[in-house]
């Protein structure tokens, strides 16, 4: 890849729902590439709170301001195969992985090693979450919402409204 080539990155997750932590990592990754593909993992064995279409819509809404601010083209897609395969299909030369703590680091190092063995041309870059959002986990956000708690410190106002709607519909 030459310096004038467009750099494409891939950031994956279930984004159920997209949190301020996800947005933080997306914003940091967008500063490092020209094009960032945010891949929503869709697995038949998992039963997410939000459908793939709902997660696509949330991410599109949440990433618009990030794209404007960074000048990075951000695309949202779904995938149902290996992250490294989805990254290659997106034309990515780098996979971004967010880190919250040491537990994340241990797991992500193993994943980076496995991905590197399968696709050595794709690098893994770890992005440390900002201190203000390191504690946020989507599964805990879902639990708080399901129990009627205030999720506003963890997600945008628009995502909080979607969560409230899901919880009400039950």
């Amino acid at each position: 890849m030459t310096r004038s080539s467009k750099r494409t990155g891939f950031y994956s997750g279930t984004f159920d729902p997209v949190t301020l932590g996800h947005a933080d990592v997306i914003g940091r990754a967008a500063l490092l590439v020209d094009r960032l593909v945010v891949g929503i993992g869709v697995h038949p064995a998992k039963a997410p709170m939000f459908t793939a279409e709902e997660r696509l819509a949330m991410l599109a809404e949440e990433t618009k301001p990030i794209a404007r601010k960074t000048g990075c083209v951000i695309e949202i897609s779904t995938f149902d195969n290996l992250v490294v395969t989805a990254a290659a299909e997106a034309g990515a030369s780098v996979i971004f992985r967010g880190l919250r703590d040491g537990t994340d680091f241990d797991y992500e190092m193993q994943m980076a090693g496995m991905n590197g063995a399968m696709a050595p041309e794709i690098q893994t870059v770890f992005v440390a979450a900002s201190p203000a959002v390191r504690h946020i986990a989507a599964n805990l956000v879902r639990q708080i919402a399901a129990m009627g708690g205030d999720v506003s410190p963890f997600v945008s106002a628009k995502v909080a409204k979607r969560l409230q709607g899901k919880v009400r519909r039950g």
Side-chain angles (χ1 to χ4, degrees):
M1 181 169 80
T2 65
R3 280 202 168 276
S4 63
S5 298
K6 294 282 185 194
R7 295 165 298 157
T8 296
F10 190 82
Y11 176 56
S12 66
T14 53
F15 305 105
D16 187 39
V18 58
T19 68
L20 297 178
H22 294 131
D24 177 68
V25 172
I26 291 168
R28 290 166 176 266
L31 292 170
L32 302 174
V33 292
D34 304 299
R35 177 176 164 256
L36 180 64
V37 178
V38 179
I40 301 169
V42 179
H43 304 284
K46 290 189 178 184
M49 177 180 274
F50 291 95
T51 67
E53 293 77 22
E54 289 169 324
R55 289 179 280 157
L56 276 164
M58 276 191 285
L59 274 164
E61 194 170 60
E62 297 294 311
T63 58
K64 279 181 189 173
I66 297 169
R68 277 194 302 272
K69 182 179 177 182
T70 63
C72 180
V73 174
I74 300 177
E75 299 172 13
I76 316 298
S77 66
T78 60
F79 69 98
D80 62 1
N81 51 4
L82 296 171
V83 169
V84 72
T85 303
E89 289 171 354
S93 59
V94 62
I95 293 172
F96 290 104
R97 299 301 299 168
L99 297 177
R100 293 175 295 189
D101 57 25
T103 304
D104 282 353
F105 180 76
D106 291 342
Y107 173 78
E108 294 297 344
M109 281 296 291
Q110 289 178 321
M111 189 66 66
M114 300 293 278
N115 287 341
M118 290 185 285
E121 69 282 3
I122 301 176
Q123 301 301 307
T124 297
V125 172
F126 298 126
V127 179
S130 298
V133 297
R134 275 193 191 135
H135 59 284
I136 301 173
N139 64 322
L140 296 177
V141 171
R142 288 192 308 273
Q143 288 177 9
I144 291 166
M147 297 180 84
D150 179 14
V151 296
S152 64
F154 316 118
V155 297
S156 72
K158 291 177 182 178
V159 172
K161 188 174 179 178
R162 286 178 182 259
L163 273 164
Q164 289 172 341
K166 278 285 184 184
V167 170
R168 274 193 220 114
R169 287 191 296 274

